[in-house]
């Protein structure tokens, strides 16, 4: 089983794209994921970037995903969790040998 550390941005991306996480993978998330997710969606609605019904739908998808999210903070979160979709060369070099980075497509 491969573990992926995700934050609110990654979880919302998975929800917005309707990506189903393979049962071969485990998602790990920091404790404040719920409040961060709500904050990101609230801000998007407030700024007019996202209709309320779309935000609610994404929130429901995230809550359904919660059974797959293990709320454990890993040391990898600070290094790689914020950049699962695009780890970038500098970040990838900084965590090389400590934690593996992968693209969002690896979750499928």
């Amino acid at each position: 089983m491969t573990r992926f550390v995700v934050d609110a941005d990654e979880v919302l991306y998975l929800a917005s794209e309707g990506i189903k996480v393979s049962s071969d993978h485990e998602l790990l998330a920091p404790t404040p994921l719920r409040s961060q997710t709500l904050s990101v969606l609230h801000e998007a609605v407030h700024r007019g970037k996202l209709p309320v019904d779309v935000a609610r739908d994404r929130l429901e998808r995230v809550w359904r995903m919660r059974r797959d999210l293990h709320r454990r903070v890993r040391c990898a979160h600070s290094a790689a969790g914020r950049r699962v979709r695009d780890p970038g060369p500098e970040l990838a070099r900084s965590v090389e040998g400590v934690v593996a980075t992968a693209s969002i497509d690896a979750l499928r």
Side-chain angles (χ1 to χ4, degrees):
M1 178 173 289
T2 305
R3 292 181 172 145
F4 289 86
V5 179
V6 294
D7 68 3
D9 290 335
E10 279 78 36
V11 169
L12 285 169
Y13 177 79
L14 292 170
S16 69
E17 297 296 316
I19 296 173
K20 299 279 187 186
V21 177
S22 167
S23 60
D24 295 336
H25 304 310
E26 179 181 21
L27 298 180
L28 305 174
T31 301
L33 179 74
R34 183 178 180 161
S35 60
Q36 291 169 347
T37 302
L38 286 169
S39 178
V40 169
L41 288 173
H42 178 268
E43 187 67 25
V45 169
H46 179 72
R47 292 182 182 265
K49 295 183 177 185
L50 199 63
V52 172
D53 59 329
V54 173
R56 284 186 181 139
D57 178 65
R58 289 187 187 166
L59 188 59
E60 287 176 22
R61 289 177 188 210
V62 169
W63 291 164
R64 284 193 301 264
M65 232 186 281
R66 281 180 54 193
R67 66 179 164 358
D68 298 324
L69 291 170
H70 296 272
R71 294 174 180 253
R72 292 182 278 173
V73 178
R74 296 279 191 216
C75 63
H77 179 263
S78 62
R82 286 179 248 148
R83 300 295 302 271
V84 170
R85 279 181 284 160
D86 179 17
E90 185 177 323
L91 180 62
R93 278 192 302 278
S94 72
V95 298
E96 192 172 328
V98 177
V99 64
T101 58
S103 73
I104 201 80
D105 291 327
L107 285 170
R108 296 175 193 243

